[in-house]
Structure formats: structure tokens, C-alpha cells
Amino acid sequence: MQDAQLKKFVLQQLEDFKAKDITVIDVSATSDVTDTMIICTGNSKRHVRSVAEQTALAAKNAGENPLGIEGLEGSEWVLLDLGNVVVHVMQDETRQFYQLEKLWEQSA
């Protein structure tokens, strides 16, 4: 999939799995690691884990093998690396504490 298709695909998966407060940040000008960062919130540890796992599975089934997935054990913050799209699925408290949106918007 091309970058725009992958981003659209991931956003659809997150919506389908009821992720909340989905934010897309273009980090292509400030990051050598990825072009797009997507941050969303899950209702609970179980929901965070499920959103990340199901999104990874859907990507794999669509031919986009995840490069990595971190944080499943605690499931307060799960990072799903799909190459040019990185997804952060976080519990609300964790998201408020780290404020990734502000961090990346300040560096842009």
C-alpha cells in the first residue's frame, strides 16, 4: 500500500474498533523514522490491546506486515509500527500525561 492508502486503512480500522480521539500528525519533516503518527485512545487496557492487535492483524491480512508492536503486556500504551505510519494506542491517563500531540507539534 502507498502511504496515503495505508493511513486511510489504519484510520478505518481504528474507527471500526471504536478508538476515541483519533489524531493524525504529519511528522515527515521532523522524523527520519516515520511520516505519519496516529494517536488514539482506548477505554481500558483490554480495549487498548484489542485495538492494537486487531489493527496489526488487519494490516497483516492486507499485506502490510507490522515492523513491530510494543507495550501489549501492560497495554497502557501500545505502539504499532507499520513503517511510514506509526500508531500509538493509549489509555486516557497515559495520553494526557505524555501529551505526544504537543511534543510533535512543537518540533514541527
Side-chain angles (χ1 to χ4, degrees):
M1 264 182 247
Q2 293 187 13
D3 291 353
Q5 290 173 311
L6 181 58
K7 181 172 71 171
K8 184 176 179 180
F9 175 83
V10 169
L11 289 171
Q12 185 61 56
Q13 298 306 309
L14 296 175
E15 289 175 9
D16 288 350
F17 298 121
K18 309 293 186 219
K20 301 183 307 181
D21 303 323
I22 301 169
T23 302
V24 179
I25 303 172
D26 179 351
V27 295
S28 59
T30 55
S31 173
D32 294 333
V33 178
T34 191
D35 292 333
T36 303
M37 188 170 301
I38 300 175
I39 305 166
C40 64
T41 303
N43 297 326
S44 64
K45 287 183 180 186
R46 180 176 282 172
H47 187 226
V48 166
R49 181 181 183 109
S50 177
V51 167
E53 286 179 329
Q54 294 302 315
T55 302
L57 181 61
K60 186 175 180 178
N61 289 340
E64 290 292 327
N65 287 325
L67 300 176
I69 187 165
E70 300 290 332
L72 288 173
E73 301 78 32
S75 296
E76 290 184 26
W77 177 356
V78 178
L79 182 142
L80 172 59
D81 185 350
L82 295 167
N84 289 332
V85 175
V86 172
V87 183
H88 297 270
V89 186
M90 309 170 90
Q91 286 192 34
D92 193 45
E93 290 176 5
T94 304
R95 187 171 178 177
Q96 287 178 19
F97 181 80
Y98 287 100
Q99 298 183 10
L100 293 182
E101 293 93 337
K102 287 183 181 180
L103 175 73
W104 280 99
E105 289 169 358
Q106 288 175 357
S107 66

